[in-house]
Structure formats: structure tokens, C-alpha cells
Amino acid sequence: MTGVRSPHQAAASAAEQVRSLGELTARPGCYPYPIDAHHTLGALAGMLEQLPLTLHQTAAAINAMPAEHLAVLDDPPIPSLIQAAVATELGHAIAALEQAATHLRKAQHTAAELLYTGPTPGS
């Protein structure tokens, strides 16, 4: 299947894009107008709103891995306990992401109240 990326490849690419965004936002003048920040916040909120489903599906995929195909370095070696622990941590991450997305949406809507009154290019 040529051109099909793995979840790891897609996640690594997304992480690289977020890192790049960090570089872009490091400049004080990166947002010439408030609407630019408003749109960026909206896009970031949209990204965060998608992550809980991805994490739910990841937990389901991990839980679907047959125990006989897994090894654990614990005594007794019970892979299902590790699978459950991963699911629990992902549940905590999902809750945090949902809360972060809510705050980002609030910041986006609040940023929409800012109006630019400075000089316009070309005038």
C-alpha cells in the first residue's frame, strides 16, 4: 500500500508542524492583525478537538492486541494489566485535551473582540 502512512508517521509529522508553529509564534510581530490570532486559535482548538477520538481509538487498538502476542517484564506477566494502565492514562489525557480545547475556544472567541485600529498597508 504505497502512500499509506502509519499512525506513528502521521503523529510525528503533526508534532513537527506544531514545533514549526512554535518557531513562527516566537516573533513578537507574528500576528499583524487580531483576526490572525483568532484564526490560529481556532485551528489549534480544532486540532485538540480531534485528538480525543484518536486517543480513544489508540486505546482500543492497544486493548485489541492479543495477550499471547505481548510480553511484560512484570511478575506475574499480565499484559492486560499494562493495557488497562495505558487506557487509564489515555483517559486522563483525553479529559485534559477536552478541557484545553474548551479554553482555546474561549480564547478564540475572546480574541474576536479585538479590533485593529492601526495603520493599514498601502495607506
Side-chain angles (χ1 to χ4, degrees):
M1 298 192 327
T2 305
V4 176
R5 296 189 307 164
S6 70
H8 171 253
Q9 290 169 323
S13 177
E16 176 57 26
Q17 289 297 310
V18 171
R19 187 204 60 72
S20 176
L21 178 61
E23 289 179 1
L24 294 171
T25 57
R27 296 179 291 109
C30 66
Y31 297 112
Y33 305 104
I35 194 72
D36 297 326
H38 167 79
H39 288 309
T40 301
L41 293 172
L44 289 170
M47 179 188 67
L48 287 186
E49 289 163 353
Q50 297 301 309
L51 285 174
L53 176 60
T54 300
L55 296 183
H56 276 294
Q57 292 167 336
T58 298
I62 290 170
N63 285 332
M65 293 175 182
E68 62 271 11
H69 296 171
L70 301 172
V72 179
L73 299 177
D74 288 338
D75 189 22
I78 305 174
S80 62
L81 292 178
I82 302 302
Q83 289 166 306
V86 170
T88 297
E89 292 305 322
L90 289 175
H92 294 308
I94 288 166
L97 285 166
E98 290 170 343
Q99 186 176 21
T102 297
H103 288 292
L104 267 178
R105 284 291 178 204
K106 288 179 182 178
Q108 177 197 15
H109 294 304
T110 302
E113 297 177 25
L114 292 172
L115 302 175
Y116 181 76
T117 61
T120 56
S123 54

